[in-house]
Short mmCIF file of all heavy atoms in Angstrom, two decimals:
data_model
loop_
_atom_site.label_atom_id
_atom_site.label_comp_id
_atom_site.label_asym_id
_atom_site.label_seq_id
_atom_site.Cartn_x
_atom_site.Cartn_y
_atom_site.Cartn_z
N PHE O 56 0.85 -1.20 0.00
CA PHE O 56 0.00 0.00 0.00
C PHE O 56 0.88 1.25 0.00
O PHE O 56 2.07 1.19 0.33
CB PHE O 56 -0.94 0.01 1.21
CG PHE O 56 -0.24 0.02 2.54
CD1 PHE O 56 0.13 1.21 3.15
CD2 PHE O 56 0.05 -1.17 3.20
CE1 PHE O 56 0.78 1.22 4.38
CE2 PHE O 56 0.70 -1.17 4.43
CZ PHE O 56 1.06 0.03 5.02
N GLY O 57 0.27 2.38 -0.36
CA GLY O 57 0.98 3.65 -0.31
C GLY O 57 1.30 4.21 -1.68
O GLY O 57 1.26 3.51 -2.69
N GLU O 58 1.62 5.51 -1.69
CA GLU O 58 1.94 6.24 -2.92
C GLU O 58 3.28 6.95 -2.78
O GLU O 58 3.78 7.15 -1.67
CB GLU O 58 0.85 7.28 -3.24
CG GLU O 58 -0.51 6.71 -3.51
CD GLU O 58 -1.29 6.42 -2.24
OE1 GLU O 58 -1.07 7.13 -1.24
OE2 GLU O 58 -2.10 5.46 -2.25
N SER O 59 3.79 7.39 -3.92
CA SER O 59 5.10 8.02 -3.97
C SER O 59 5.20 9.23 -3.06
O SER O 59 6.21 9.44 -2.39
CB SER O 59 5.42 8.43 -5.42
OG SER O 59 6.65 9.12 -5.50
N HIS O 60 4.16 10.06 -3.02
CA HIS O 60 4.21 11.30 -2.25
C HIS O 60 3.22 11.30 -1.09
O HIS O 60 2.88 12.35 -0.54
CB HIS O 60 3.97 12.50 -3.16
CG HIS O 60 5.15 12.81 -4.02
ND1 HIS O 60 5.78 14.04 -4.03
CD2 HIS O 60 5.86 12.05 -4.90
CE1 HIS O 60 6.79 14.02 -4.88
NE2 HIS O 60 6.85 12.82 -5.42
N GLY O 61 2.76 10.12 -0.69
CA GLY O 61 1.93 10.00 0.50
C GLY O 61 2.79 10.00 1.76
O GLY O 61 4.01 10.20 1.72
N GLU O 62 2.17 9.75 2.91
CA GLU O 62 2.91 9.77 4.17
C GLU O 62 3.85 8.58 4.30
O GLU O 62 4.93 8.69 4.90
CB GLU O 62 1.93 9.79 5.35
CG GLU O 62 1.16 11.08 5.50
CD GLU O 62 0.38 11.14 6.79
OE1 GLU O 62 0.68 10.34 7.71
OE2 GLU O 62 -0.53 11.98 6.90
N ALA O 63 3.45 7.44 3.75
CA ALA O 63 4.27 6.24 3.91
C ALA O 63 3.85 5.22 2.87
O ALA O 63 2.81 5.32 2.23
CB ALA O 63 4.11 5.66 5.32
N ILE O 64 4.72 4.22 2.70
CA ILE O 64 4.37 3.02 1.95
C ILE O 64 4.56 1.84 2.89
O ILE O 64 5.21 1.95 3.94
CB ILE O 64 5.26 2.86 0.69
CG1 ILE O 64 6.74 2.88 1.08
CG2 ILE O 64 4.95 3.93 -0.33
CD1 ILE O 64 7.67 2.61 -0.07
N GLY O 65 3.98 0.70 2.52
CA GLY O 65 4.11 -0.44 3.42
C GLY O 65 3.60 -1.72 2.80
O GLY O 65 3.16 -1.75 1.65
N VAL O 66 3.65 -2.78 3.60
CA VAL O 66 3.27 -4.10 3.13
C VAL O 66 2.73 -4.92 4.28
O VAL O 66 3.18 -4.80 5.43
CB VAL O 66 4.47 -4.82 2.47
CG1 VAL O 66 5.62 -5.02 3.46
CG2 VAL O 66 4.07 -6.15 1.85
N ILE O 67 1.71 -5.73 3.98
CA ILE O 67 1.20 -6.74 4.91
C ILE O 67 1.61 -8.10 4.37
O ILE O 67 1.34 -8.43 3.20
CB ILE O 67 -0.33 -6.69 5.04
CG1 ILE O 67 -0.80 -5.28 5.45
CG2 ILE O 67 -0.82 -7.74 6.03
CD1 ILE O 67 -0.35 -4.85 6.81
N ILE O 68 2.27 -8.91 5.19
CA ILE O 68 2.68 -10.26 4.80
C ILE O 68 1.83 -11.24 5.58
O ILE O 68 1.82 -11.23 6.82
CB ILE O 68 4.17 -10.51 5.12
CG1 ILE O 68 5.04 -9.43 4.48
CG2 ILE O 68 4.59 -11.90 4.64
CD1 ILE O 68 6.46 -9.41 5.00
N ASP O 69 1.10 -12.08 4.88
CA ASP O 69 0.25 -13.08 5.53
C ASP O 69 0.72 -14.46 5.08
O ASP O 69 1.04 -14.67 3.91
CB ASP O 69 -1.21 -12.87 5.13
CG ASP O 69 -2.16 -13.49 6.14
OD1 ASP O 69 -1.70 -14.01 7.17
OD2 ASP O 69 -3.38 -13.43 5.90
N GLY O 70 0.79 -15.39 6.02
CA GLY O 70 1.16 -16.76 5.67
C GLY O 70 2.61 -17.10 5.92
O GLY O 70 3.06 -18.21 5.60
N CYS O 71 3.39 -16.18 6.48
CA CYS O 71 4.78 -16.51 6.81
C CYS O 71 4.77 -17.44 8.02
O CYS O 71 4.17 -17.13 9.05
CB CYS O 71 5.57 -15.25 7.14
SG CYS O 71 7.30 -15.57 7.55
N PRO O 72 5.42 -18.59 7.92
CA PRO O 72 5.41 -19.53 9.05
C PRO O 72 6.02 -18.93 10.31
O PRO O 72 6.86 -18.03 10.24
CB PRO O 72 6.26 -20.71 8.53
CG PRO O 72 6.27 -20.57 7.05
CD PRO O 72 6.18 -19.11 6.78
N ALA O 73 5.59 -19.41 11.44
CA ALA O 73 6.18 -18.98 12.71
C ALA O 73 7.60 -19.53 12.84
O ALA O 73 7.95 -20.55 12.25
CB ALA O 73 5.32 -19.48 13.87
N GLY O 74 8.42 -18.81 13.61
CA GLY O 74 9.74 -19.30 13.93
C GLY O 74 10.87 -18.82 13.05
O GLY O 74 12.02 -19.21 13.25
N VAL O 75 10.57 -17.97 12.05
CA VAL O 75 11.63 -17.43 11.20
C VAL O 75 12.34 -16.31 11.95
O VAL O 75 11.70 -15.40 12.49
CB VAL O 75 11.08 -16.89 9.86
CG1 VAL O 75 12.19 -16.27 9.03
CG2 VAL O 75 10.37 -17.99 9.10
N ASN O 76 13.67 -16.37 12.03
CA ASN O 76 14.43 -15.31 12.68
C ASN O 76 14.32 -14.03 11.86
O ASN O 76 14.62 -14.02 10.67
CB ASN O 76 15.89 -15.71 12.82
CG ASN O 76 16.11 -16.77 13.87
OD1 ASN O 76 15.50 -16.72 14.95
ND2 ASN O 76 16.96 -17.74 13.59
N VAL O 77 13.89 -12.96 12.50
CA VAL O 77 13.71 -11.68 11.82
C VAL O 77 14.97 -10.84 12.04
O VAL O 77 15.13 -10.20 13.09
CB VAL O 77 12.46 -10.94 12.33
CG1 VAL O 77 12.29 -9.61 11.58
CG2 VAL O 77 11.23 -11.81 12.16
N ASP O 78 15.85 -10.87 11.07
CA ASP O 78 17.10 -10.11 11.13
C ASP O 78 16.82 -8.73 10.56
O ASP O 78 16.88 -8.52 9.35
CB ASP O 78 18.19 -10.83 10.34
CG ASP O 78 19.55 -10.18 10.46
OD1 ASP O 78 19.59 -8.98 10.83
OD2 ASP O 78 20.56 -10.84 10.16
N LEU O 79 16.53 -7.77 11.44
CA LEU O 79 16.14 -6.44 10.99
C LEU O 79 17.29 -5.74 10.26
O LEU O 79 17.07 -4.99 9.31
CB LEU O 79 15.67 -5.60 12.17
CG LEU O 79 14.99 -4.26 11.83
CD1 LEU O 79 13.80 -4.47 10.90
CD2 LEU O 79 14.56 -3.55 13.11
N ASP O 80 18.52 -6.01 10.70
CA ASP O 80 19.67 -5.41 10.00
C ASP O 80 19.76 -5.91 8.57
O ASP O 80 20.10 -5.14 7.66
CB ASP O 80 20.96 -5.73 10.76
CG ASP O 80 21.09 -4.98 12.07
OD1 ASP O 80 20.42 -3.94 12.22
OD2 ASP O 80 21.85 -5.43 12.94
N TYR O 81 19.47 -7.19 8.36
CA TYR O 81 19.50 -7.74 7.01
C TYR O 81 18.39 -7.11 6.16
O TYR O 81 18.64 -6.70 5.01
CB TYR O 81 19.31 -9.26 7.05
CG TYR O 81 19.23 -9.88 5.68
CD1 TYR O 81 20.37 -10.12 4.92
CD2 TYR O 81 17.99 -10.22 5.12
CE1 TYR O 81 20.30 -10.67 3.65
CE2 TYR O 81 17.91 -10.77 3.84
CZ TYR O 81 19.07 -11.00 3.12
OH TYR O 81 18.99 -11.54 1.87
N ILE O 82 17.19 -7.01 6.70
CA ILE O 82 16.07 -6.41 5.97
C ILE O 82 16.39 -4.97 5.60
O ILE O 82 16.17 -4.54 4.46
CB ILE O 82 14.77 -6.49 6.80
CG1 ILE O 82 14.36 -7.96 7.01
CG2 ILE O 82 13.64 -5.72 6.13
CD1 ILE O 82 13.22 -8.16 7.98
N GLN O 83 16.93 -4.22 6.56
CA GLN O 83 17.29 -2.83 6.28
C GLN O 83 18.40 -2.75 5.25
O GLN O 83 18.42 -1.85 4.39
CB GLN O 83 17.72 -2.12 7.57
CG GLN O 83 17.91 -0.62 7.41
CD GLN O 83 16.63 0.08 6.97
OE1 GLN O 83 15.60 -0.01 7.64
NE2 GLN O 83 16.68 0.77 5.83
N GLY O 84 19.34 -3.70 5.30
CA GLY O 84 20.42 -3.73 4.32
C GLY O 84 19.91 -3.93 2.90
O GLY O 84 20.45 -3.33 1.95
N GLU O 85 18.89 -4.76 2.74
CA GLU O 85 18.29 -4.95 1.41
C GLU O 85 17.62 -3.67 0.93
O GLU O 85 17.72 -3.29 -0.24
CB GLU O 85 17.28 -6.10 1.45
CG GLU O 85 17.90 -7.48 1.70
CD GLU O 85 18.89 -7.85 0.61
OE1 GLU O 85 18.44 -8.19 -0.50
OE2 GLU O 85 20.11 -7.78 0.86
N LEU O 86 16.94 -2.98 1.84
CA LEU O 86 16.30 -1.72 1.48
C LEU O 86 17.33 -0.66 1.11
O LEU O 86 17.11 0.17 0.22
CB LEU O 86 15.43 -1.23 2.64
CG LEU O 86 14.08 -1.93 2.79
CD1 LEU O 86 13.48 -1.67 4.16
CD2 LEU O 86 13.11 -1.48 1.70
N ASP O 87 18.48 -0.67 1.79
CA ASP O 87 19.52 0.30 1.50
C ASP O 87 20.06 0.15 0.08
O ASP O 87 20.53 1.12 -0.52
CB ASP O 87 20.67 0.16 2.51
CG ASP O 87 20.29 0.64 3.90
OD1 ASP O 87 19.24 1.30 4.04
OD2 ASP O 87 21.04 0.33 4.86
N LYS O 88 20.00 -1.08 -0.45
CA LYS O 88 20.48 -1.31 -1.82
C LYS O 88 19.50 -0.74 -2.86
O LYS O 88 19.88 -0.48 -4.00
CB LYS O 88 20.67 -2.80 -2.07
CG LYS O 88 21.77 -3.44 -1.23
CD LYS O 88 21.75 -4.95 -1.34
CE LYS O 88 22.74 -5.58 -0.38
NZ LYS O 88 22.62 -7.05 -0.33
N ARG O 89 18.26 -0.57 -2.47
CA ARG O 89 17.24 -0.06 -3.38
C ARG O 89 16.99 1.44 -3.23
O ARG O 89 16.51 2.12 -4.16
CB ARG O 89 15.91 -0.80 -3.14
CG ARG O 89 14.85 -0.61 -4.24
CD ARG O 89 13.47 -0.39 -3.65
NE ARG O 89 13.39 0.90 -3.00
CZ ARG O 89 12.90 2.00 -3.57
NH1 ARG O 89 12.42 1.97 -4.81
NH2 ARG O 89 12.87 3.16 -2.91
N LYS O 90 17.33 2.00 -2.07
CA LYS O 90 16.92 3.37 -1.77
C LYS O 90 17.55 4.37 -2.74
O LYS O 90 18.62 4.13 -3.31
CB LYS O 90 17.29 3.72 -0.33
CG LYS O 90 18.77 3.90 -0.06
CD LYS O 90 18.99 4.27 1.40
CE LYS O 90 20.47 4.50 1.70
NZ LYS O 90 20.70 4.84 3.11
N PRO O 91 16.90 5.52 -2.92
CA PRO O 91 17.43 6.54 -3.82
C PRO O 91 18.63 7.26 -3.20
O PRO O 91 18.94 7.09 -2.02
CB PRO O 91 16.24 7.49 -3.99
CG PRO O 91 15.44 7.31 -2.74
CD PRO O 91 15.60 5.87 -2.35
N GLY O 92 19.30 8.06 -4.03
CA GLY O 92 20.39 8.88 -3.55
C GLY O 92 21.68 8.16 -3.26
O GLY O 92 22.53 8.64 -2.52
N GLN O 93 21.88 6.98 -3.87
CA GLN O 93 23.06 6.17 -3.56
C GLN O 93 24.33 6.69 -4.24
O GLN O 93 25.42 6.56 -3.69
CB GLN O 93 22.84 4.72 -4.00
CG GLN O 93 21.74 4.01 -3.27
CD GLN O 93 21.59 2.59 -3.79
OE1 GLN O 93 22.57 1.93 -4.12
NE2 GLN O 93 20.36 2.12 -3.89
N SER O 94 24.20 7.22 -5.44
CA SER O 94 25.38 7.58 -6.22
C SER O 94 25.00 8.57 -7.30
O SER O 94 23.82 8.94 -7.46
CB SER O 94 25.99 6.32 -6.86
OG SER O 94 25.15 5.84 -7.90
N LYS O 95 25.99 8.96 -8.09
CA LYS O 95 25.76 9.92 -9.16
C LYS O 95 24.92 9.35 -10.29
O LYS O 95 24.40 10.11 -11.11
CB LYS O 95 27.10 10.41 -9.72
CG LYS O 95 27.93 9.33 -10.41
CD LYS O 95 29.25 9.88 -10.90
CE LYS O 95 30.10 8.79 -11.58
NZ LYS O 95 31.40 9.32 -12.05
N ILE O 96 24.75 8.03 -10.35
CA ILE O 96 23.97 7.44 -11.44
C ILE O 96 22.59 7.00 -10.99
O ILE O 96 21.92 6.19 -11.63
CB ILE O 96 24.72 6.26 -12.11
CG1 ILE O 96 25.00 5.13 -11.11
CG2 ILE O 96 25.99 6.74 -12.77
CD1 ILE O 96 25.51 3.86 -11.76
N THR O 97 22.13 7.51 -9.82
CA THR O 97 20.78 7.24 -9.36
C THR O 97 20.08 8.56 -9.04
O THR O 97 20.72 9.61 -8.94
CB THR O 97 20.75 6.35 -8.11
OG1 THR O 97 21.39 7.04 -7.02
CG2 THR O 97 21.46 5.03 -8.35
N THR O 98 18.76 8.51 -8.85
CA THR O 98 18.01 9.70 -8.47
C THR O 98 18.58 10.27 -7.18
O THR O 98 19.03 9.54 -6.30
CB THR O 98 16.53 9.39 -8.28
OG1 THR O 98 15.87 10.54 -7.70
CG2 THR O 98 16.30 8.23 -7.32
#
């Protein structure tokens, strides 16, 4: 859900089995690879 210039974007995940280790640093690291402003060849 969410739009480019709205307050936020987000996701609901349903059906993920219990017991998966949630490595927040890993998740944030994946987002850092996609985020804008990384270099001179990105937005």
Side-chain angles (χ1 to χ4, degrees):
F56 61 88
E58 297 83 30
S59 177
H60 286 237
E62 291 189 17
I64 55 175
V66 61
I67 304 295
I68 306 167
D69 202 4
C71 181
V75 177
N76 288 319
V77 181
D78 186 340
L79 191 56
D80 288 339
Y81 176 79
I82 295 171
Q83 188 61 57
E85 293 300 285
L86 282 164
D87 289 347
K88 295 170 186 172
R89 194 223 70 96
K90 71 179 182 181
Q93 296 179 37
S94 70
K95 65 182 179 181
I96 60 170
T97 64
T98 171

